[in-house]
Amino acid sequence: MKVVKISELTKKYGDIIAVDNISLEIEEGEIFGLLGPNGAGKSTTINMITGLVSMDKGKILVMDKDVKKNSNETKKNIGIVPQDIAIYEDLTCMENVMFFAGLYGLKGSELKRQAEEALEFTGLKDKAKSFPKGFSGGMKRRLNIACAIAHKPKLIIMDEPTVGIDPQSRNHILQSVKMLNSMGSTIIYTSHYMEEVEEICTRIAIMDHGKVIAEGTNEELKSIITDKNSVWITVSGPVEKVDKEQLKEIYGVSSVDIEENTVKISSSRDVSNLDKIILYFTKNNIPIRNIESKTPDLETVFLTLTGRKLRD
Amino acid sequence: MNINNMLKIFKKELLQNLRETKGNAMMVLFPIVLIVILGTALSTMFGKDTELDVAKVLYTNQAGKELAAGFESFMEHAGELGIEFEETDDIEAGIGSVKHAGYSCYVLLKDDPQEIILYKNDRYYFEANLVEIILHSFVGKYNAISVVAAENPAMLETVMEDPEIDLLELKSLDRERQPSSMDYYSVTMLTMILFYSAMTGYWSVKNEQNLKTGNRILCSPVHKSEILTAKVMGSIIVTIIQGFLVLVFSRFVLNAYWGANIWPIIAVIISEAIMAVSVGVGIAFTVRNEAASSSILNTVIPIFVFFGGGYVPFEVLGEFLQKISVISPIRWMNMAIFNVVYSNDFSHVPVAIAINLVIAVIFITVSSLAYRKEAV
């Protein structure tokens, strides 16, 4: 079942095209990554899914319902974790979660129970009666998430949920995303941290200048740009003994570069030649200190597709 | 409209506003402190100062024989109330004396056409008002006698002896019910602080914009009209509670006089709370720049309060400023409340309420239009 179906979606602000005729389909149970630099159109796309921003052209279906025609119906199935921390500092954690969850129709003991569950899930149960004023950025981010999930939405949209927090809180959030997904929620996860998207997303769309420039699984995206694997071998002995030409004679090796004590060898993806490469070093008495297999990451994919880095 | 959604937002607004201790202290303690300070410092302008020890009246009598004789009789009776009369032939000097010397009034009696012109000194407004009322009473009787004398002279003696036609009847002036400074500022500081609750309405919208919680609410299945209504209602209730605390404190601790008819006053207070909160909400939606919108409110409110007689009675503002003061809704509210408290006159209550509600409707309409168009 398609949880979200976007067709030919366009949004303009004056002369600026924020979202340019994009089409996407998100299946139930996916963690769908929306990757792109600032201003790529990710947040505008999300705001149109949640009904915050009107679309100029196109159609969005959430759980088979048109967001334009069934605004409240579709909103009930969505939980949004906004990019900016959107909580009330003069309400306790429990009051915050109960207020936002209450707007989705939860009442009485059900509301209280689900709010408690959301706080427990985000590790804030013991802070239920605390005001978030003195919380760290990470704790506020977790409360931001608790407010979005208490009503148990089928679709959770997380817009850059890890911006500006410590690694521990980031890990906690990433684990939470995976758990929410395993509990049955479909997730749309936007970020410009490619390592996060790579780690948790089952499928990814890369956006730039309002357009989806690539879409697929992590592996599919990487295969778009390269047919090469790289092996970086750091030696502890004399690197001058390495003969580039001899290495190139090994089947599949296409290029060899030497930087300080590291020998960077590129080979065709479909050739398995690592054993022969290592044999070359041992035969020539060149001690190996470290071997790293370098596959292209999404940063490289983005760089190749757009000519600039994600965080430019 | 979903009542449950509105109740949830309303409850949240109430909770947040009641927890806003600084703001609440400001809205409740500030007017109380001002009532005490102004009520004490300016007490000489009110209350005891209005005792009729000596009301000095200057007059020029250019009237014909009959009116002059009548006026002589009037002066004789008025003297019994402690009013002293001095005659002058110089009209200009007479008018000048009222402006600059210590006379309550200057009365000019003219012949052909017969008329009595009264110049009042606002510094002695109580004495001047007393003179005006008894003079008005005198004119009424003089006119009645003149008509009777012309139409049926035989009845003249009966009319003259009629105790119902009392030359010095005091129609509405009640010395017992003139406001003391504490009474006066209890009313004006209450209407002032209620007008400042425009800030409560303003921040209830602005905070949601600043915290981005407004967008989060909009992502939930709640209509904008429900959000707006609940937010406005929440701010209004908090404002009414604050106003009620000031009223109770002034009544029972400062012993301010609020008259015998509290319900019309409460109606005016509620309508002012509705108006002020709506103005604040309207400004928050239409003026995006926070510094500019704050400046507008912080400038307009004190000006309206001043023209409304918030700091000094509008009787002493002078003729020109009094004319301008009609633009201030505070003026209409103060007038309505003072008339209810001291004259049992309810005629200004519907006017004040109508003004407040019309302003509220205008600003709420503007707010809802701006909110509907608002893009994230």
Side-chain angles (χ1 to χ4, degrees):
Chain A
M1 182 193 179
K2 286 178 181 53
V3 173
V4 179
K5 188 178 178 187
I6 298 171
S7 318
E8 296 171 353
L9 186 67
T10 300
K11 177 70 188 176
K12 289 179 188 174
Y13 292 108
D15 294 334
I16 298 163
I17 305 173
V19 174
D20 192 359
N21 200 37
I22 67 166
S23 295
L24 285 171
E25 288 184 358
I26 299 165
E27 296 287 338
E28 189 174 8
E30 279 191 312
I31 303 179
F32 189 85
L34 216 45
L35 186 66
N38 290 330
K42 308 184 299 285
S43 292
T44 309
T45 304
I46 279 169
N47 286 338
M48 284 190 277
I49 297 172
T50 57
L52 269 181
V53 168
S54 59
M55 58 192 93
D56 292 334
K57 204 190 114 204
K59 196 175 190 179
I60 302 173
L61 300 179
V62 173
M63 318 290 288
D64 293 329
K65 283 184 177 150
D66 192 330
V67 296
K68 221 172 177 179
K69 292 175 187 162
N70 306 282
S71 169
N72 275 4
E73 278 298 300
T74 54
K75 280 177 177 178
K76 277 182 189 169
N77 290 314
I78 300 174
I80 175 91
V81 180
Q83 186 173 346
D84 299 298
I85 295 169
I87 53 171
Y88 299 104
E89 298 209 331
D90 47 3
L91 298 185
T92 64
C93 290
M94 189 66 175
E95 286 165 350
N96 263 292
V97 178
M98 283 182 71
F99 170 67
F100 286 112
L103 298 177
Y104 289 83
L106 297 181
K107 285 181 201 165
S109 57
E110 188 191 20
L111 172 63
K112 199 176 173 218
R113 182 175 48 77
Q114 291 194 201
E116 281 170 349
E117 281 175 17
L119 285 174
E120 190 169 5
F121 182 81
T122 49
L124 292 171
K125 195 184 177 185
D126 56 338
K127 301 282 180 190
K129 288 181 181 171
S130 305
F131 291 92
K133 216 166 199 171
F135 282 10
S136 67
M139 284 166 81
K140 285 181 182 174
R141 287 263 166 215
R142 282 190 268 154
L143 179 57
N144 206 29
I145 293 173
C147 292
I149 61 171
H151 63 287
K152 298 195 188 316
K154 287 173 182 156
L155 172 65
I156 300 172
I157 300 173
M158 297 182 148
D159 194 2
E160 311 254 9
T162 57
V163 170
I165 58 169
D166 57 282
Q168 198 184 345
S169 291
R170 174 178 291 191
N171 283 339
H172 189 283
I173 288 173
L174 295 180
Q175 291 312 312
S176 303
V177 175
K178 286 180 187 170
M179 275 179 73
L180 285 167
N181 180 245
S182 67
M183 287 156 68
S185 291
T186 304
I187 317 265
I188 299 178
Y189 190 94
T190 85
S191 180
H192 57 258
Y193 295 118
M194 54 86 196
E195 60 274 23
E196 284 181 6
V197 174
E198 248 183 311
E199 184 185 335
I200 62 169
C201 294
T202 50
R203 217 152 54 83
I204 300 153
I206 298 177
M207 286 189 77
D208 192 35
H209 297 302
K211 288 184 174 166
V212 174
I213 54 173
E215 188 192 341
T217 62
N218 200 353
E219 289 306 310
E220 283 169 347
L221 286 174
K222 287 171 190 170
S223 68
I224 293 172
I225 59 146
T226 180
D227 57 353
K228 300 277 190 295
N229 274 336
S230 290
V231 177
W232 290 12
I233 298 174
T234 308
V235 297
S236 53
V239 77
E240 305 81 42
K241 285 174 76 177
V242 175
D243 186 336
K244 287 185 185 179
E245 294 309 315
Q246 280 185 14
L247 273 170
K248 279 183 188 172
E249 283 171 13
I250 297 172
Y251 180 70
V253 172
S254 54
S255 69
V256 178
D257 282 319
I258 299 173
E259 273 181 27
E260 294 182 357
N261 284 342
T262 304
V263 184
K264 298 177 176 179
I265 304 160
S266 288
S267 303
S268 300
R269 251 174 108 84
D270 48 0
V271 174
S272 178
N273 56 6
L274 186 60
D275 54 339
K276 292 183 182 75
I277 292 170
I278 292 169
L279 194 62
Y280 167 81
F281 282 87
T282 49
K283 265 188 177 175
N284 290 286
N285 292 321
I286 306 168
I288 295 172
R289 199 169 69 198
N290 189 30
I291 300 175
E292 277 183 89
S293 176
K294 292 279 182 183
T295 50
D297 55 22
L298 287 177
E299 182 77 52
T300 319
V301 175
F302 187 81
L303 186 66
T304 310
L305 290 172
T306 65
R308 60 201 171 99
K309 289 187 173 179
L310 260 170
R311 283 161 227 175
D312 279 353
Chain B
M1 287 235 190
N2 184 323
I3 301 293
N4 277 333
N5 285 342
M6 284 168 56
L7 281 176
K8 277 163 193 160
I9 298 168
F10 172 77
K11 192 177 151 194
K12 189 265 301 178
E13 285 293 310
L14 219 55
L15 200 58
Q16 284 184 298
N17 276 304
L18 294 176
R19 278 184 185 158
E20 176 57 44
T21 41
K22 264 188 196 170
N24 282 320
M26 177 77 182
M27 293 295 280
V28 176
L29 294 181
F30 183 58
I32 288 172
V33 168
L34 279 179
I35 292 167
V36 174
I37 291 173
L38 293 173
T40 309
L42 302 177
S43 59
T44 49
M45 280 180 70
F46 300 83
K48 283 177 184 167
D49 199 38
T50 62
E51 289 290 331
L52 256 181
D53 293 332
V54 180
K56 290 165 79 178
V57 176
L58 200 60
Y59 72 96
T60 303
N61 196 344
Q62 296 179 342
K65 193 180 157 192
E66 283 170 10
L67 179 57
F71 191 71
E72 286 297 328
S73 168
F74 160 76
M75 285 194 291
E76 199 179 304
H77 285 80
E80 291 167 14
L81 282 175
I83 301 172
E84 285 181 4
F85 290 88
E86 278 180 41
E87 189 168 12
T88 176
D89 293 331
D90 188 341
I91 297 173
E92 249 178 60
I95 295 169
S97 297
V98 171
K99 277 184 184 166
H100 306 297
Y103 293 95
S104 313
C105 304
Y106 169 67
V107 182
L108 173 61
L109 292 96
K110 292 170 80 174
D111 195 19
D112 198 21
Q114 279 194 352
E115 62 178 337
I116 300 173
I117 302 168
L118 176 72
Y119 297 88
K120 294 197 293 182
N121 184 337
D122 287 329
R123 272 180 293 169
Y124 303 100
Y125 79 101
F126 181 80
E127 289 87 344
N129 282 350
L130 178 68
V131 172
E132 183 183 15
I133 286 167
I134 59 176
L135 192 59
H136 195 264
S137 167
F138 159 72
V139 171
K141 182 170 182 181
Y142 179 80
N143 287 340
I145 291 168
S146 301
V147 171
V148 172
E151 299 292 327
N152 190 357
M155 286 292 291
L156 194 57
E157 200 172 334
T158 317
V159 172
M160 292 291 277
E161 284 168 3
D162 187 350
E164 292 296 310
I165 306 178
D166 186 351
L167 189 67
L168 294 180
E169 181 192 7
L170 296 184
K171 284 180 177 171
S172 61
L173 200 63
D174 185 349
R175 293 179 67 185
E176 296 280 319
R177 291 187 179 176
Q178 283 303 299
S180 70
S181 53
M182 208 62 89
D183 298 332
Y184 184 84
Y185 287 111
S186 291
V187 172
T188 60
M189 290 301 103
L190 175 62
T191 53
M192 177 196 76
I193 209 66
L194 286 170
F195 203 19
Y196 266 104
S197 67
M199 289 294 194
T200 309
Y202 173 80
W203 284 113
S204 99
V205 173
K206 218 64 189 173
N207 278 340
E208 298 280 11
Q209 290 171 350
N210 292 343
L211 291 171
K212 307 287 180 190
T213 43
N215 286 349
R216 186 164 210 159
I217 296 174
L218 284 174
C219 287
S220 65
V222 181
H223 286 291
K224 283 182 174 177
S225 56
E226 292 163 5
I227 300 169
L228 187 62
T229 310
K231 288 191 80 64
V232 169
M233 288 303 293
S235 299
I236 287 170
I237 296 298
V238 169
T239 301
I240 290 170
I241 292 170
Q242 289 164 342
F244 187 70
L245 288 175
V246 175
L247 191 150
V248 167
F249 190 88
S250 71
R251 168 68 185 84
F252 293 105
V253 180
L254 302 177
N255 290 319
Y257 182 64
W258 284 93
N261 302 293
I262 200 67
W263 291 111
I265 295 168
I266 287 175
V268 173
I269 287 171
I270 291 172
S271 71
E272 188 187 355
I274 295 169
M275 179 272 286
V277 167
S278 308
V279 168
V281 168
I283 299 278
F285 275 115
T286 48
V287 185
R288 306 297 295 183
N289 184 301
E290 205 169 295
S293 42
S294 273
S295 302
I296 290 171
L297 286 171
N298 282 317
T299 308
V300 168
I301 294 173
I303 289 174
F304 278 178
V305 170
F306 173 75
F307 282 126
Y311 309 119
V312 287
F314 46 74
E315 288 88 351
V316 302
L317 290 178
E319 200 180 335
F320 176 69
L321 290 179
Q322 274 190 48
K323 276 181 186 166
I324 296 176
S325 74
V326 295
I327 63 162
S328 167
I330 297 284
R331 181 223 197 225
W332 296 98
M333 279 170 275
N334 287 342
M335 190 185 278
I337 294 173
F338 280 125
N339 283 347
V340 169
V341 175
Y342 296 101
S343 311
N344 278 332
D345 173 6
F346 301 92
S347 61
H348 286 92
V349 172
V351 178
I353 291 174
I355 289 170
N356 285 335
L357 295 184
V358 166
I359 294 171
V361 166
I362 292 169
F363 276 88
I364 288 295
T365 307
V366 168
S367 305
S368 57
L369 289 175
Y371 196 23
R372 207 177 295 169
K373 284 182 185 172
E374 197 173 76
V376 180

